[in-house]
Amino acid sequence: MASAPKRITLREPGVAGSYELVERRGDGSLLLRPEHERLSDLLRETEGHVFRDGEFAAHLERVAASDDDLPVDPSA
């Protein structure tokens, strides 16, 4: 049975917010992902990236879960 993702809340200035625990590393460090990523940050991070295998599906999941903060295109 799959367990729900672990959520972590940070209050430190500059990183305050809710995060999802992605990975616990062997050295004790944690890999965190913002609970609600901004679409503009996600696009900036992955611009020009060539996705392989399951990476594309994971990317689409991140896009679907992101908060759309892009400006509205008036010509659309």
Side-chain angles (χ1 to χ4, degrees), residues 2-24:
S3 62
K6 300 286 186 197
R7 305 277 184 220
I8 295 175
T9 301
L10 300 177
R11 292 177 178 33
E12 188 72 26
V15 294
S18 295
Y19 294 84
E20 176 183 342
L21 176 59
V22 176
E23 177 184 346
R24 292 178 193 258

Side-chain angles (χ1 to χ4, degrees), residues 33 46 49-63:
R33 176 183 307 143
T46 59
H49 181 79
V50 176
F51 294 98
R52 307 205 188 291
D53 302 325
E55 290 179 333
F56 185 64
H59 174 68
L60 289 179
E61 288 177 10
R62 286 179 68 191
V63 168

